[in-house]
Amino acid sequence: MRGLIIGLASIGLSMTYSILNFANFAHGDYLTSGAFSGWAVTYLLAGLGEANVGSLLLVGAGGSVFGGTLGVGITTSPIAVIAGMIFAGVGTVALALFIDRFVYRPVRDEGGITLLITSVGVAFALRYLIVFVFGTDVRGTTAAGSVPELSMFVIDGSVKINAHDITLAVVAVGLMLGVHLLLQRTKLGKAMRAMSDNEDLARITGIPTEQVVRATWIIGGGLTGVAGYMFVLWKGTLGFNDGWLLLLLIFAAVILGGIGSIYGAIGGGLIIGLTASMSVIWIPSEFGRAAAFMVMIVILLFKPQGIFSGRTTA
């Protein structure tokens, strides 16, 4: 499950790098922004008439209302969850387009380093804007006790899978498949792959590069917002630095899979997520992230360009 979240969020970062040629350090805070906006809608729909509207829109800031009290969950309030997930994607798309128009586009011709430093500033601005509006407290978001579970026998024990795990898997795999079909079967996908390979040649051949850039932000932002929302649904808590804590793992996944490769980002995300989660069987949990980076380093020693050899066409 963790690998699916990282893989889904990595697609947007990989697309941004391969087409716009800069590492967007604000990507993690896009994820957090999508999570907060989506959960504000979920709380509003699930708790309308039961709690103060302001408290619901602030996702229970200061302990004013709790997701468990509202009965938030995919089986208990499916409409609220689905609406929140959709709004998380749409809201993050709007945010990404707004920031590109007024922040990134004016400095786009200055080079990757300028864009990178600018994105660091955007990340801090977004993070502390979220703190200003929603507060710093980590709040529970779902009615964990009412989520149905399925116990599956595996070799010498059982694995419990709940409804939120299944929801995450269906949404993540469905969106990944959608990205694959878009890249391989549509005119836009071919234009994106052409621009990723050679922007100057793509412009000469008549490809509307500005439209491709806009589509990149739309697709990447939408996937990132949904990933942020689903991450919170899966783990059941929401905090202002969730995206920041995931950002290094997302970067690791993109590098491991091969910078610029969408499929590499998905594969790298699964490997990083599995390693970070399963390593706690043998080592203390606080070293889980270190184990993920260690695996990345070992693989890169044998395949320096990443698992997919850095192919940028998909």
Side-chain angles (χ1 to χ4, degrees):
M1 299 299 106
R2 189 183 303 274
L4 286 173
I5 289 290
I6 296 171
L8 190 61
S10 298
I11 295 174
L13 184 64
S14 184
M15 291 175 68
T16 303
Y17 185 88
S18 61
I19 293 176
L20 301 180
N21 200 30
F22 86 101
N24 183 16
F25 270 80
H27 192 76
D29 295 282
Y30 284 6
L31 188 147
T32 310
S33 300
F36 270 96
S37 62
W39 280 97
V41 171
T42 296
Y43 266 49
L44 181 64
L45 294 179
L48 199 59
E50 298 182 25
N52 179 271
V53 172
S55 299
L56 294 172
L57 288 175
L58 291 175
V59 200
S64 53
V65 66
F66 299 97
T69 305
L70 300 176
V72 175
I74 188 61
T75 55
T76 52
S77 57
I79 294 177
V81 169
I82 293 171
M85 179 182 66
I86 293 172
F87 190 85
V90 173
T92 309
V93 167
L95 176 67
L97 290 174
F98 177 84
I99 292 175
D100 177 60
R101 176 64 183 84
F102 294 102
V103 181
Y104 292 146
R105 187 189 292 182
V107 297
R108 196 181 293 163
D109 294 332
E110 301 300 322
I113 297 298
T114 301
L115 281 167
L116 186 149
I117 298 300
T118 303
S119 73
V120 173
V122 171
F124 280 108
L126 285 177
R127 193 172 317 146
Y128 290 104
L129 179 62
I130 290 171
V131 169
F132 179 76
V133 175
F134 295 98
T136 59
D137 55 310
V138 176
R139 72 286 314 263
T141 54
T142 59
S146 61
V147 182
E149 286 188 340
L150 174 67
S151 185
M152 298 178 61
F153 179 77
V154 180
I155 304 176
D156 62 345
S158 60
V159 175
K160 290 184 178 180
I161 302 175
N162 64 36
H164 290 168
D165 296 332
I166 296 172
T167 303
L168 167 58
V170 170
V171 170
V173 173
L175 289 175
M176 290 174 181
L177 180 60
V179 171
H180 165 72
L181 294 175
L182 182 144
L183 289 174
Q184 299 295 334
R185 303 290 179 87
T186 68
K187 189 175 181 179
L188 173 62
K190 292 177 181 178
M192 293 176 76
R193 290 187 287 133
M195 188 171 171
S196 175
D197 281 341
N198 192 317
E199 181 180 352
D200 293 332
L201 184 59
R203 187 178 289 112
I204 291 171
T205 55
I207 291 175
T209 55
E210 198 58 41
Q211 292 182 21
V212 173
V213 170
R214 194 178 303 116
T216 299
W217 285 119
I218 291 172
I219 296 168
L223 294 176
T224 304
V226 172
Y229 184 91
M230 296 307 299
F231 182 52
V232 174
L233 180 70
W234 172 66
K235 71 188 181 79
T237 61
L238 173 63
F240 77 96
N241 60 351
D242 282 347
W244 171 248
L245 295 176
L246 272 181
L247 183 62
L248 288 179
L249 294 178
I250 293 171
F251 267 110
V254 171
I255 294 169
L256 177 60
I259 294 177
S261 171
I262 303 302
Y263 304 130
I266 296 171
L270 289 171
I271 293 172
I272 292 294
L274 283 168
T275 303
S277 296
M278 293 184 65
S279 61
V280 300
I281 298 173
W282 300 282
I283 62 177
S285 58
E286 57 266 27
F287 295 111
R289 288 171 177 269
F293 285 106
M294 201 64 190
V295 167
M296 180 193 75
I297 292 170
V298 170
I299 292 177
L300 291 178
L301 286 175
F302 295 95
K303 295 205 69 174
Q305 291 184 311
I307 297 172
F308 277 65
S309 301
R311 287 180 299 207
T312 58
T313 53

